[in-house]
Amino acid sequence: MLALMPEARWEAPTRGAITQARQRLGSEVVQKVFRQVARPAATESTPGAWLNRWRVTAIDRFVVDLPDTEANVAEFGRDSAGGYETAFPQARVVAISECASHAMVAADVAGCWAGEQTLAFSLYEQLNEEMLLTADRGFYSFSAGNQARHGGAHLLWRVQAELRPYWLRDLGDGSWLAVITKPSGLRRSQKDRLREAARQGRDLDPDDAVIVRVVDYTVPDRKGEHIRLITSILDPAEASAEDLARCYHDRWEAETGIDQLKTHLRGPGRILRSRTPELVYQEIWAYLLTHWALCTLICTAATAAGIDPDRIKFLGTVRIGDVRRSVTDRVAFSP
């Protein structure tokens, strides 16, 4: 190590020096690096990465606790949902993940009161036609579906129980085609005309109405919980109702990725170290970038070995790479 070499002059920087360097760097450059390099890691031969020709992805959200400083409270706020206020200010992150690798390929960060649907809108433009985006019912809205479809990606979203798609016809696999009209701005007579046009197979203005395929099923081990999915994949020959139901539950892989970042990479029960908003943003983008790099490494190794990336433990990768070592430890070379 350089610090042990004869006449070596390099010394590990102090924590104060690291903080000053971080302040000079700012958060924008780390965010730009993430957005430039974060890409799906799975290839065509990665097990469990695809449904037919579509790469399975998921959108989800999480919060991180921050140091309790006036600046962080002013920028990010404390969540008081449920009638009590959190002990620490919190930042909200919404991210799109590749389900097979858990790699987060798009993300946005804001205060804890930012709406998850609002943050998600900034990510939909990064979707492309090879992707199938899964989402839970908290992300669905008519406008969100249109925005997400704009780049050509297909959708598989759970919807709220109060959504009532208008039945068009049943399909052979147990799913059914329906039309959904925008929730406001249309008179009853306009909705009736749009539904009639859908029945006759005429083109619809997607700003007013869209045709979807509906998959209904219950989960026995959840006391018969009813789940309703809508998808833009209209042909059962491309993906059966059973395939879609199974694929939707791969959405939980996104939560596995979030747990990897929050528990194994950051450390259990830890708040971030940054005491100012600019450094908070920088630190979050740095964690997202590091998590993406490790997930890509795992996926590349698993694909080469012909196994599912889930079989390689994330925590083991963190320990082997020693990525949580303190920057003030003795190292083999100068940063």
Side-chain angles (χ1 to χ4, degrees):
M1 295 185 295
L2 290 181
L4 300 179
M5 292 179 64
E7 300 182 2
R9 296 183 178 179
W10 183 83
E11 294 182 0
T14 65
R15 294 185 182 276
I18 292 295
T19 299
Q20 291 175 23
R22 289 182 60 202
Q23 291 170 341
R24 293 193 298 270
L25 179 66
S27 64
E28 184 177 357
V29 65
V30 187
Q31 178 182 355
K32 285 184 176 179
V33 171
F34 174 83
R35 290 183 171 173
Q36 287 179 11
V37 305
R39 297 290 184 272
T43 68
E44 293 181 356
S45 57
T46 302
W50 304 83
L51 175 65
N52 199 339
R53 65 178 183 272
W54 298 292
R55 184 188 302 273
V56 181
T57 63
I59 188 167
D60 213 335
R61 68 292 205 186
F62 61 97
V63 296
V64 290
D65 291 335
L66 313 174
D68 189 7
T69 66
E70 290 185 6
N72 284 345
V73 172
E75 175 73 13
F76 299 100
R78 286 191 177 93
D79 192 351
S80 58
Y84 63 92
E85 193 174 73
T86 55
F88 299 98
Q90 294 179 326
R92 184 178 303 280
V93 182
V94 174
I96 294 176
S97 303
E98 180 183 44
C99 290
S101 67
H102 306 147
M104 299 181 195
V105 298
D108 203 359
V109 185
C112 67
W113 286 109
E116 59 193 34
Q117 289 192 12
T118 302
L119 285 177
F121 261 79
S122 68
L123 306 181
Y124 293 143
E125 62 185 23
Q126 301 180 52
L127 299 171
N128 59 56
E129 60 187 8
E130 80 163 5
M131 294 180 176
L132 172 64
L133 181 67
T134 62
D136 70 21
R137 52 194 165 188
F139 285 95
Y140 172 77
S141 71
F142 183 86
S143 57
N146 279 352
Q147 178 74 4
R149 283 283 290 143
H150 185 72
H154 275 292
L155 310 179
L156 179 61
W157 286 8
R158 186 177 181 180
V159 294
Q160 302 93 333
E162 58 267 23
L163 182 70
R164 298 283 189 259
Y166 183 80
W167 176 88
L168 294 176
R169 66 177 182 275
D170 292 325
L171 300 173
D173 66 342
S175 59
W176 44 286
L177 292 183
V179 61
I180 298 176
T181 56
K182 70 178 182 179
S184 61
L186 294 176
R187 297 188 298 273
R188 178 62 181 268
S189 60
Q190 291 175 303
K191 292 183 178 181
D192 290 340
R193 285 195 294 270
L194 289 167
R195 290 166 178 170
E196 181 60 30
R199 280 194 296 268
Q200 296 178 10
R202 300 202 303 267
D203 291 337
L204 303 175
D205 183 344
D207 290 336
D208 292 331
V210 293
I211 294 177
V212 298
R213 182 167 155 224
V214 183
V215 178
D216 285 309
Y217 61 97
T218 58
V219 183
D221 58 358
R222 294 185 190 172
K223 299 180 180 180
E225 178 187 6
H226 174 253
I227 293 179
R228 169 165 290 177
L229 307 177
I230 62 171
T231 181
S232 55
I233 303 174
L234 303 183
D235 187 353
E238 293 190 304
S240 69
E242 183 177 348
D243 290 337
L244 292 169
R246 186 182 301 112
C247 179
Y248 173 73
H249 289 274
D250 286 342
R251 186 191 68 78
W252 292 102
E253 297 291 351
E255 297 205 3
T256 299
I258 290 170
D259 178 69
Q260 291 170 347
L261 189 154
K262 293 185 65 174
T263 302
H264 302 311
L265 185 57
R266 186 187 61 175
R270 293 185 180 177
I271 63 173
L272 298 190
R273 70 185 65 185
S274 304
R275 301 181 64 81
T276 65
E278 179 69 7
L279 295 187
V280 166
Y281 286 116
Q282 182 193 80
E283 190 173 355
I284 291 173
W285 287 112
Y287 271 118
L288 290 168
L289 186 58
T290 305
H291 180 264
W292 171 85
L294 291 171
C295 288
T296 298
L297 174 64
I298 290 170
C299 186
T300 301
T303 301
I307 62 175
D308 193 306
D310 280 341
R311 293 186 59 187
I312 299 179
K313 299 299 184 184
F314 183 86
L315 182 57
T317 305
V318 170
R319 288 171 174 167
I320 291 171
D322 202 13
V323 297
R324 289 194 311 200
R325 181 171 58 184
S326 171
V327 72
T328 58
D329 287 353
R330 294 183 174 222
V331 293
F333 53 85
S334 167

